[in-house]
Amino acid sequence: MHRHHRPSPRHSLAILVANLEARAPLDEGDRAALLSLPHSRRTMSPSAYIVRDGEVPGPCAVLLSGFAYRQKVTSDGARQIVSIHLPGEMLDLQHLHLDCADHSVQALTEVEIAYVPRQTLREVMAERPGIGRAVGVASAVEASIAREWMLNIGRRDARTRLAHLLCEFAMRLERLDLSGDYGYELPVTQEWLGDALGLTPVHVNRMIRALAEEGLIARHHRAIRFPDWPAMRDVAGFSEQYLHFGAQVAV
Amino acid sequence: MHRHHRPSPRHSLAILVANLEARAPLDEGDRAALLSLPHSRRTMSPSAYIVRDGEVPGPCAVLLSGFAYRQKVTSDGARQIVSIHLPGEMLDLQHLHLDCADHSVQALTEVEIAYVPRQTLREVMAERPGIGRAVGVASAVEASIAREWMLNIGRRDARTRLAHLLCEFAMRLERLDLSGDYGYELPVTQEWLGDALGLTPVHVNRMIRALAEEGLIARHHRAIRFPDWPAMRDVAGFSEQYLHFGAQVAV
DNA sequence: CGTTTAATTGAAAGCAGTCAAACTATGTGG
DNA sequence: CCACATAGTTTGACTGCTTTCAATTAAACG
């Protein structure tokens, strides 16, 4: 039922290689180096901390299955979700080079994590340009998504903002074959959505039903479908360019 | 090639070296490699495009003097400023590994830019781990600031949001000795501020005067001072941890 | 100067937030 | 299997922060 819990078939880190390789070329040596990275595997429950704000970053976490998210909190206790992560993504790129975590990373669903020693990872990146490049691409894409979120939160009204986020999830999940027919399971509460969008849960609820009444989304519990995807895209003003799908050719 | 221990301040790229070195250690070879990067220098006027959304990225731009900013635009034409950049910063880190620009970078003031060929920069990063690491740190700090902006836009009210942005500028400028006594010249219109904060220019104006009436800021044209910095920090809920000032020690 | 751009102010409207309560789904222990 | 507890969703009424619209004043500029 939860396809995002599917473990990677042959090797733990195969999903990382696949994720990196989707955008940047890796040679045989790069692949072998990545797959032979020392790591320990661990399963964690929803809302468990993977990285904790203010602490010294530990080993680098790679998400093997399940979803994770990043969040920050104001001095008043208000929370902002700043990103969501899908299987194959590295959760510590942001802290790999920093000596103090500036935000928290938590499990959204039950997750499997591979922990790779920071130093080893840095060495491999330094020794193999292909890997350094691939990690650079992954990092740049993450930054691009962050910028789009800023635009979303700062400059779109609530309904459009929600629609845009739902479109992004749809595209990203579909790319990993974690959804079918533009429909997917969204394992979050409306409060979580509000914290990702800079809205209150009450208003998120109203916008969800507004979209539903317009026939732009169809829900069943927390599963969501898009009966009219073109219309949905249009309402959201969505363009996937910022996701940089596809190989990034060297120029 | 000079063999001085310290680069001449007259060298164009010395400010880049200083910026990188402030957070990550560079050895003599790293410094020399950076300073001898081939580059062309150019002066640009306010609002000139350094990178244009949708285009194939050109050579990598390093900001030598003046300020620059990044922006994105919704399909409806609403603008969001997503970052501001100070002298010494690299403006194309985000596009160094991507084949299509997902946002625009523009000059805020009159700026001097050094253009370094992408391929050369990538080669130097691959060959010299110290440089690769330093660029990684710079990139991570930029991402951290982006996350704080998301939190700011999404979860703080207008007055606090403005105060926070002003505090960030103060800290970053002071670090470069571009301000005195927590006071500085902010060369932006209120409309620009609004686009950076997700607010309308009218409301920015009201919040500015609200802060002024409370004695938290003092203005003279576009120069700004903080008569009571501790109170200002407090109102903004500002903590500079996310700026990652200081050397990032390897762990 | 005259022209343009930016800052300021007021009044009114509206989107989103707040508060409170009811409802639903899910899970637990008896 | 039911009673109960808990977490999450839904709804309504009301408030208020921010926007919108419009006009005026001030500053920057050629």
Side-chain angles (χ1 to χ4, degrees):
Chain A
M1 104 182 194
H2 288 95
R3 272 184 294 179
H4 45 270
H5 288 164
R6 178 179 53 192
S8 35
R10 288 176 52 200
H11 188 290
S12 297
L13 295 176
I15 194 167
L16 169 65
V17 173
N19 177 37
L20 293 177
E21 205 161 20
R23 289 194 177 96
L26 296 177
D27 64 29
E28 202 48 56
D30 295 334
R31 271 189 287 271
L34 284 171
L35 289 176
S36 62
L37 279 171
H39 64 275
S40 61
R41 236 174 121 142
R42 203 170 143 201
T43 300
M44 302 178 93
S45 305
S47 90
Y49 280 88
I50 298 162
V51 176
R52 206 180 276 264
D53 193 353
E55 292 189 352
V56 176
C60 183
V62 176
L63 187 57
L64 302 179
S65 69
F67 301 146
Y69 63 94
R70 297 174 197 278
Q71 67 168 52
K72 284 184 75 102
V73 174
T74 67
S75 54
D76 298 334
R79 176 175 79 152
Q80 177 70 44
I81 311 288
V82 296
S83 69
I84 182 170
H85 294 279
L86 275 43
E89 298 182 11
M90 302 174 75
L91 302 179
D92 276 313
L93 278 188
Q94 302 306 328
H95 292 128
L96 186 58
H97 299 295
L98 301 178
D99 59 12
C100 181
D102 53 66
H103 67 275
S104 297
V105 183
Q106 286 176 262
L108 181 57
T109 61
E110 179 160 292
V111 296
E112 286 178 291
I113 304 278
Y115 282 107
V116 180
R118 278 156 66 92
Q119 190 51 37
T120 314
L121 183 58
R122 284 200 291 246
E123 281 164 13
V124 165
M125 283 170 56
E127 281 162 20
R128 304 204 65 94
I131 293 179
R133 176 91 196 281
V135 172
V137 171
S139 175
V141 171
E142 206 177 313
S144 173
I145 294 175
R147 285 187 293 269
E148 184 69 34
W149 279 40
M150 249 189 267
L151 175 63
N152 204 31
I153 297 168
R155 284 302 184 210
R156 288 197 257 254
D157 67 20
R159 176 167 149 278
T160 313
R161 205 185 297 183
L162 171 63
H164 195 279
L165 191 73
L166 296 178
C167 284
E168 180 183 310
F169 287 167
M171 297 294 296
R172 290 171 66 186
L173 287 168
E174 203 214 2
R175 180 158 179 270
L176 298 183
D177 272 325
L178 292 175
S179 75
D181 301 333
Y182 286 123
Y184 55 88
E185 172 95 15
L186 191 60
V188 302
T189 65
Q190 294 178 3
E191 182 174 14
W192 188 96
L193 273 177
D195 285 343
L197 294 167
L199 297 171
T200 58
V202 172
H203 204 59
V204 167
N205 181 277
R206 288 176 178 136
M207 295 302 104
I208 288 179
R209 21 208 55 245
L211 289 175
E213 273 170 31
E214 294 174 73
L216 292 168
I217 62 175
R219 296 180 304 150
H220 182 60
H221 295 181
R222 282 177 180 166
I224 185 171
R225 277 185 312 107
F226 304 96
D228 186 349
W229 175 249
M232 182 70 179
R233 263 182 82 94
D234 194 55
V235 163
F238 187 83
S239 163
E240 66 266 39
Q241 188 192 265
Y242 74 98
L243 293 171
H244 296 282
F245 286 165
Q248 303 298 304
V249 297
V251 180
Chain B
M1 169 56 73
H2 297 284
R3 292 196 181 280
H4 293 304
H5 280 292
R6 306 174 68 188
S8 154
R10 292 178 53 199
H11 196 295
S12 298
L13 295 177
I15 193 168
L16 169 65
V17 173
N19 177 38
L20 292 178
E21 207 161 17
R23 289 194 177 93
L26 296 177
D27 64 29
E28 201 49 57
D30 294 335
R31 272 189 286 270
L34 285 170
L35 290 175
S36 62
L37 279 171
H39 62 276
S40 61
R41 238 176 119 140
R42 205 171 142 198
T43 300
M44 301 175 93
S45 306
S47 91
Y49 280 88
I50 298 162
V51 176
R52 205 180 276 265
D53 192 354
E55 292 189 351
V56 176
C60 182
V62 177
L63 186 57
L64 302 179
S65 69
F67 301 146
Y69 63 94
R70 296 176 198 277
Q71 68 169 50
K72 284 184 74 103
V73 174
T74 67
S75 52
D76 299 334
R79 177 175 80 153
Q80 178 69 45
I81 311 287
V82 296
S83 70
I84 182 170
H85 294 278
L86 275 44
E89 298 182 11
M90 301 174 74
L91 302 178
D92 276 314
L93 278 189
Q94 301 306 327
H95 291 127
L96 186 58
H97 299 295
L98 301 178
D99 59 11
C100 182
D102 55 65
H103 66 277
S104 297
V105 183
Q106 287 175 261
L108 181 57
T109 61
E110 181 160 292
V111 296
E112 286 179 291
I113 304 280
Y115 281 108
V116 181
R118 277 155 68 91
Q119 190 50 37
T120 314
L121 182 58
R122 283 200 293 246
E123 279 165 14
V124 165
M125 283 170 58
E127 280 162 19
R128 304 206 64 94
I131 293 180
R133 176 94 196 280
V135 171
V137 171
S139 174
V141 171
E142 206 177 312
S144 173
I145 294 175
R147 285 187 291 269
E148 184 69 34
W149 279 40
M150 248 188 268
L151 175 63
N152 204 31
I153 297 168
R155 284 302 184 208
R156 289 197 256 254
D157 67 20
R159 176 167 149 277
T160 313
R161 204 184 298 183
L162 171 62
H164 195 278
L165 191 72
L166 295 178
C167 284
E168 180 183 309
F169 287 167
M171 297 295 295
R172 290 172 66 186
L173 287 167
E174 202 214 3
R175 181 157 178 270
L176 297 183
D177 272 324
L178 292 175
S179 74
D181 301 332
Y182 287 123
Y184 55 88
E185 173 94 15
L186 191 60
V188 302
T189 64
Q190 294 180 1
E191 182 174 13
W192 189 95
L193 273 178
D195 285 343
L197 294 167
L199 297 171
T200 57
V202 172
H203 204 57
V204 167
N205 181 278
R206 287 179 178 132
M207 294 303 104
I208 287 179
R209 19 207 58 244
L211 290 175
E213 274 170 32
E214 292 173 74
L216 291 168
I217 63 175
R219 295 180 305 150
H220 182 61
H221 295 181
R222 281 178 180 166
I224 184 171
R225 277 185 313 106
F226 303 95
D228 186 350
W229 176 248
M232 182 69 179
R233 263 182 81 93
D234 195 55
V235 163
F238 187 82
S239 162
E240 66 267 36
Q241 188 191 266
Y242 74 97
L243 293 171
H244 296 282
F245 286 165
Q248 302 299 305
V249 297
V251 181

